[in-house]
Amino acid sequence: RKEVEQDPGPFNVPEGATVAFNCTYSNSASQSFFWYRQDCRKEPKLLMSVYSSGNEDGRFTAQLNRASQYISLLIRDSKLSDSATYLCVVNSGDSSYKLIFGSGTRLLVRP
Amino acid sequence: EAQVTQNPRYLITVTGKKLTVTCSQNMNHEYMSWYRQDPGLGLRQIYYSMNVEVTDKGDVPEGYKVSRKEKRNFPLILESPSPNQTSLYFCASSSGGQGPPYEQYFGPGTRLTVT
């Protein structure tokens, strides 16, 4: 079983749609959670951290469910520029700074 | 401008010819790391460094070496490259410190092909 699992997609949605991605992680000791965005052939960039209470940044909302060990990302009012791969990232749960990356979920927003 | 730089960006080489991919950050970050990214496998950590002269293996260290003689630089060395090391490589850094890991900043990537 992978440590971080994501549906690879692609999710193909029209502009203005709401889309949600889920991610599950296997290590209950993980304490830090993130969503990174990666455009084609480019470096990953932090989209948002995920806090226990959930957090929102404009059109993006992240939620954490520790009991079920999953993380979600909701994108409202999708834009063409949201087309990218979204990486779910968790820390290793030990004293290192190791981050474990999911394989990513690809989003395509069409006009 | 705060950034992580990698060189070269693209490299085609032959099996067995030693190569070095450089990585440098200007943010005075303690933590640096190397990843490789392959289709369907996501980012996998090769080596990481918590500080100068402190390095440790990640998940896929075989065939790679690193060094951390200065805080800003973290080169990746392939002593005898093989075709299974054909991949997209990313260097990353973060400020580290106590508590949860901070945001990792990635370099632009190095696309390596070994024939």
Side-chain angles (χ1 to χ4, degrees):
Chain A
R1 182 187 173 190
K2 288 183 179 178
E3 292 180 273
V4 178
E5 294 206 61
Q6 296 182 249
D7 181 341
F11 285 65
N12 192 324
V13 303
E15 266 187 297
T18 295
V19 62
F21 309 135
N22 288 328
C23 158
T24 58
Y25 61 95
S26 61
N27 188 350
S28 60
S30 294
Q31 296 180 350
S32 300
F33 311 91
F34 310 90
W35 283 101
Y36 275 69
R37 171 191 168 131
Q38 186 175 25
D39 293 295
C40 187
R41 298 177 182 269
K42 299 232 173 141
E43 72 271 25
K45 293 184 179 178
L46 180 67
L47 178 66
M48 58 197 304
S49 301
V50 186
Y51 304 121
S52 296
S53 54
N55 49 302
E56 188 174 308
D57 183 2
R59 298 181 294 108
F60 298 84
T61 300
Q63 298 279 353
L64 168 64
N65 184 318
R66 284 188 187 272
S68 301
Q69 295 183 204
Y70 81 77
I71 307 153
S72 65
L73 177 68
L74 182 77
I75 305 175
R76 290 181 298 277
D77 189 22
S78 299
K79 311 290 185 192
L80 295 176
S81 58
D82 293 334
S83 296
T85 296
Y86 291 84
L87 307 176
C88 175
V89 186
V90 307
N91 79 311
S92 60
D94 57 23
S95 58
S96 75
Y97 297 116
K98 181 177 179 179
L99 295 180
I100 302 168
F101 288 77
S103 301
T105 298
R106 190 168 173 217
L107 172 64
L108 300 172
V109 182
R110 63 181 188 272
Chain B
E1 180 191 354
Q3 61 182 352
V4 179
T5 56
Q6 292 179 231
N7 282 292
R9 294 288 313 280
Y10 303 92
L11 179 60
I12 300 174
T13 190
V14 296
T15 299
K17 186 176 181 182
K18 180 180 178 179
L19 66 92
T20 299
V21 184
T22 64
C23 172
S24 183
Q25 49 93 5
N26 62 2
M27 295 168 279
N28 201 37
H29 283 168
E30 294 170 349
Y31 179 87
M32 296 186 75
S33 181
W34 275 103
Y35 298 89
R36 61 178 288 173
Q37 186 173 35
D38 303 289
L41 296 177
L43 281 156
R44 293 180 293 168
Q45 190 178 53
I46 302 170
Y47 268 94
Y48 66 96
S49 170
M50 303 280 276
N51 214 324
V52 176
E53 302 291 2
V54 180
T55 64
D56 209 345
K57 296 177 181 179
D59 298 315
V60 289
E62 295 77 21
Y64 305 94
K65 285 175 58 177
V66 293
S67 68
R68 187 93 182 271
K69 293 182 170 49
E70 307 165 279
K71 201 170 188 178
R72 64 183 292 125
N73 296 323
F74 190 45
L76 179 70
I77 303 155
L78 284 73
E79 295 270 4
S80 183
S82 62
N84 65 11
Q85 292 178 299
T86 293
S87 188
L88 177 59
Y89 291 86
F90 288 105
C91 179
S93 72
S94 72
S95 57
Q98 298 299 318
Y102 294 89
E103 174 184 1
Q104 288 200 8
Y105 295 82
F106 285 80
T110 295
R111 188 165 292 278
L112 172 66
T113 302
V114 183
T115 62

PDB file of all heavy atoms in Angstrom, chain B residues 87-103:
ATOM      1  N   SER B  87      15.399  10.219 -15.537  1.00  0.00           N
ATOM      2  CA  SER B  87      14.311  10.731 -14.716  1.00  0.00           C
ATOM      3  C   SER B  87      14.353  12.251 -14.699  1.00  0.00           C
ATOM      4  O   SER B  87      15.248  12.879 -15.268  1.00  0.00           O
ATOM      5  CB  SER B  87      14.450  10.190 -13.279  1.00  0.00           C
ATOM      6  OG  SER B  87      13.328  10.522 -12.495  1.00  0.00           O
ATOM      7  N   LEU B  88      13.354  12.829 -14.032  1.00  0.00           N
ATOM      8  CA  LEU B  88      13.322  14.267 -13.760  1.00  0.00           C
ATOM      9  C   LEU B  88      13.725  14.454 -12.303  1.00  0.00           C
ATOM     10  O   LEU B  88      13.093  13.878 -11.413  1.00  0.00           O
ATOM     11  CB  LEU B  88      11.916  14.811 -14.022  1.00  0.00           C
ATOM     12  CG  LEU B  88      11.659  16.287 -13.736  1.00  0.00           C
ATOM     13  CD1 LEU B  88      12.590  17.174 -14.553  1.00  0.00           C
ATOM     14  CD2 LEU B  88      10.202  16.623 -14.027  1.00  0.00           C
ATOM     15  N   TYR B  89      14.749  15.244 -12.067  1.00  0.00           N
ATOM     16  CA  TYR B  89      15.298  15.420 -10.731  1.00  0.00           C
ATOM     17  C   TYR B  89      14.999  16.822 -10.201  1.00  0.00           C
ATOM     18  O   TYR B  89      15.171  17.808 -10.915  1.00  0.00           O
ATOM     19  CB  TYR B  89      16.818  15.203 -10.740  1.00  0.00           C
ATOM     20  CG  TYR B  89      17.199  13.771 -11.002  1.00  0.00           C
ATOM     21  CD1 TYR B  89      17.325  13.283 -12.298  1.00  0.00           C
ATOM     22  CD2 TYR B  89      17.418  12.894  -9.936  1.00  0.00           C
ATOM     23  CE1 TYR B  89      17.664  11.956 -12.530  1.00  0.00           C
ATOM     24  CE2 TYR B  89      17.762  11.570 -10.161  1.00  0.00           C
ATOM     25  CZ  TYR B  89      17.875  11.110 -11.465  1.00  0.00           C
ATOM     26  OH  TYR B  89      18.209   9.795 -11.674  1.00  0.00           O
ATOM     27  N   PHE B  90      14.586  16.868  -8.952  1.00  0.00           N
ATOM     28  CA  PHE B  90      14.326  18.149  -8.297  1.00  0.00           C
ATOM     29  C   PHE B  90      15.136  18.255  -7.011  1.00  0.00           C
ATOM     30  O   PHE B  90      15.196  17.312  -6.220  1.00  0.00           O
ATOM     31  CB  PHE B  90      12.843  18.293  -7.928  1.00  0.00           C
ATOM     32  CG  PHE B  90      11.933  18.514  -9.093  1.00  0.00           C
ATOM     33  CD1 PHE B  90      11.129  17.484  -9.554  1.00  0.00           C
ATOM     34  CD2 PHE B  90      11.866  19.747  -9.714  1.00  0.00           C
ATOM     35  CE1 PHE B  90      10.280  17.679 -10.612  1.00  0.00           C
ATOM     36  CE2 PHE B  90      11.007  19.950 -10.790  1.00  0.00           C
ATOM     37  CZ  PHE B  90      10.215  18.914 -11.240  1.00  0.00           C
ATOM     38  N   CYS B  91      15.697  19.433  -6.824  1.00  0.00           N
ATOM     39  CA  CYS B  91      16.318  19.779  -5.556  1.00  0.00           C
ATOM     40  C   CYS B  91      15.329  20.674  -4.807  1.00  0.00           C
ATOM     41  O   CYS B  91      14.579  21.436  -5.435  1.00  0.00           O
ATOM     42  CB  CYS B  91      17.621  20.535  -5.821  1.00  0.00           C
ATOM     43  SG  CYS B  91      18.508  21.063  -4.355  1.00  0.00           S
ATOM     44  N   ALA B  92      15.313  20.563  -3.487  1.00  0.00           N
ATOM     45  CA  ALA B  92      14.397  21.389  -2.699  1.00  0.00           C
ATOM     46  C   ALA B  92      15.082  21.816  -1.417  1.00  0.00           C
ATOM     47  O   ALA B  92      16.006  21.151  -0.940  1.00  0.00           O
ATOM     48  CB  ALA B  92      13.113  20.621  -2.377  1.00  0.00           C
ATOM     49  N   SER B  93      14.616  22.921  -0.855  1.00  0.00           N
ATOM     50  CA  SER B  93      15.154  23.356   0.426  1.00  0.00           C
ATOM     51  C   SER B  93      14.022  23.901   1.283  1.00  0.00           C
ATOM     52  O   SER B  93      12.966  24.296   0.776  1.00  0.00           O
ATOM     53  CB  SER B  93      16.224  24.432   0.229  1.00  0.00           C
ATOM     54  OG  SER B  93      15.656  25.663  -0.162  1.00  0.00           O
ATOM     55  N   SER B  94      14.249  23.877   2.589  1.00  0.00           N
ATOM     56  CA  SER B  94      13.291  24.491   3.503  1.00  0.00           C
ATOM     57  C   SER B  94      14.046  24.990   4.724  1.00  0.00           C
ATOM     58  O   SER B  94      15.174  24.574   4.988  1.00  0.00           O
ATOM     59  CB  SER B  94      12.168  23.537   3.901  1.00  0.00           C
ATOM     60  OG  SER B  94      12.636  22.550   4.779  1.00  0.00           O
ATOM     61  N   SER B  95      13.384  25.836   5.493  1.00  0.00           N
ATOM     62  CA  SER B  95      14.083  26.471   6.600  1.00  0.00           C
ATOM     63  C   SER B  95      14.292  25.547   7.781  1.00  0.00           C
ATOM     64  O   SER B  95      15.114  25.804   8.635  1.00  0.00           O
ATOM     65  CB  SER B  95      13.311  27.716   7.053  1.00  0.00           C
ATOM     66  OG  SER B  95      12.001  27.355   7.418  1.00  0.00           O
ATOM     67  N   GLY B  96      13.538  24.443   7.854  1.00  0.00           N
ATOM     68  CA  GLY B  96      13.771  23.498   8.929  1.00  0.00           C
ATOM     69  C   GLY B  96      13.463  24.114  10.276  1.00  0.00           C
ATOM     70  O   GLY B  96      12.496  24.829  10.422  1.00  0.00           O
ATOM     71  N   GLY B  97      14.264  23.832  11.260  1.00  0.00           N
ATOM     72  CA  GLY B  97      14.029  24.328  12.606  1.00  0.00           C
ATOM     73  C   GLY B  97      13.200  23.348  13.406  1.00  0.00           C
ATOM     74  O   GLY B  97      12.941  22.233  12.994  1.00  0.00           O
ATOM     75  N   GLN B  98      12.726  23.750  14.529  1.00  0.00           N
ATOM     76  CA  GLN B  98      11.951  22.868  15.389  1.00  0.00           C
ATOM     77  C   GLN B  98      10.511  22.786  14.913  1.00  0.00           C
ATOM     78  O   GLN B  98      10.001  23.693  14.284  1.00  0.00           O
ATOM     79  CB  GLN B  98      11.974  23.409  16.834  1.00  0.00           C
ATOM     80  CG  GLN B  98      13.362  23.461  17.420  1.00  0.00           C
ATOM     81  CD  GLN B  98      14.013  22.090  17.503  1.00  0.00           C
ATOM     82  OE1 GLN B  98      13.356  21.123  17.870  1.00  0.00           O
ATOM     83  NE2 GLN B  98      15.287  22.005  17.147  1.00  0.00           N
ATOM     84  N   GLY B  99       9.868  21.700  15.213  1.00  0.00           N
ATOM     85  CA  GLY B  99       8.462  21.582  14.877  1.00  0.00           C
ATOM     86  C   GLY B  99       8.243  21.018  13.491  1.00  0.00           C
ATOM     87  O   GLY B  99       9.148  20.482  12.876  1.00  0.00           O
ATOM     88  N   PRO B 100       7.045  21.128  12.959  1.00  0.00           N
ATOM     89  CA  PRO B 100       6.690  20.527  11.666  1.00  0.00           C
ATOM     90  C   PRO B 100       7.520  21.109  10.539  1.00  0.00           C
ATOM     91  O   PRO B 100       7.998  22.228  10.632  1.00  0.00           O
ATOM     92  CB  PRO B 100       5.213  20.892  11.501  1.00  0.00           C
ATOM     93  CG  PRO B 100       4.731  21.202  12.861  1.00  0.00           C
ATOM     94  CD  PRO B 100       5.909  21.785  13.579  1.00  0.00           C
ATOM     95  N   PRO B 101       7.667  20.332   9.464  1.00  0.00           N
ATOM     96  CA  PRO B 101       8.452  20.822   8.326  1.00  0.00           C
ATOM     97  C   PRO B 101       7.780  22.025   7.697  1.00  0.00           C
ATOM     98  O   PRO B 101       6.572  22.099   7.594  1.00  0.00           O
ATOM     99  CB  PRO B 101       8.487  19.640   7.375  1.00  0.00           C
ATOM    100  CG  PRO B 101       7.344  18.786   7.759  1.00  0.00           C
ATOM    101  CD  PRO B 101       7.157  18.989   9.225  1.00  0.00           C
ATOM    102  N   TYR B 102       8.591  22.958   7.291  1.00  0.00           N
ATOM    103  CA  TYR B 102       8.089  24.134   6.641  1.00  0.00           C
ATOM    104  C   TYR B 102       7.984  23.891   5.151  1.00  0.00           C
ATOM    105  O   TYR B 102       8.388  22.885   4.635  1.00  0.00           O
ATOM    106  CB  TYR B 102       9.005  25.318   6.952  1.00  0.00           C
ATOM    107  CG  TYR B 102       8.983  25.703   8.408  1.00  0.00           C
ATOM    108  CD1 TYR B 102       9.853  25.108   9.307  1.00  0.00           C
ATOM    109  CD2 TYR B 102       8.077  26.638   8.890  1.00  0.00           C
ATOM    110  CE1 TYR B 102       9.831  25.435  10.652  1.00  0.00           C
ATOM    111  CE2 TYR B 102       8.050  26.975  10.221  1.00  0.00           C
ATOM    112  CZ  TYR B 102       8.916  26.371  11.099  1.00  0.00           C
ATOM    113  OH  TYR B 102       8.881  26.697  12.414  1.00  0.00           O
ATOM    114  N   GLU B 103       7.458  24.888   4.442  1.00  0.00           N
ATOM    115  CA  GLU B 103       7.299  24.799   2.999  1.00  0.00           C
ATOM    116  C   GLU B 103       8.617  24.467   2.340  1.00  0.00           C
ATOM    117  O   GLU B 103       9.652  25.037   2.672  1.00  0.00           O
ATOM    118  CB  GLU B 103       6.786  26.127   2.462  1.00  0.00           C
ATOM    119  CG  GLU B 103       6.712  26.197   0.948  1.00  0.00           C
ATOM    120  CD  GLU B 103       6.281  27.561   0.462  1.00  0.00           C
ATOM    121  OE1 GLU B 103       6.058  28.434   1.309  1.00  0.00           O
ATOM    122  OE2 GLU B 103       6.179  27.746  -0.758  1.00  0.00           O
TER     123      GLU B 103
END
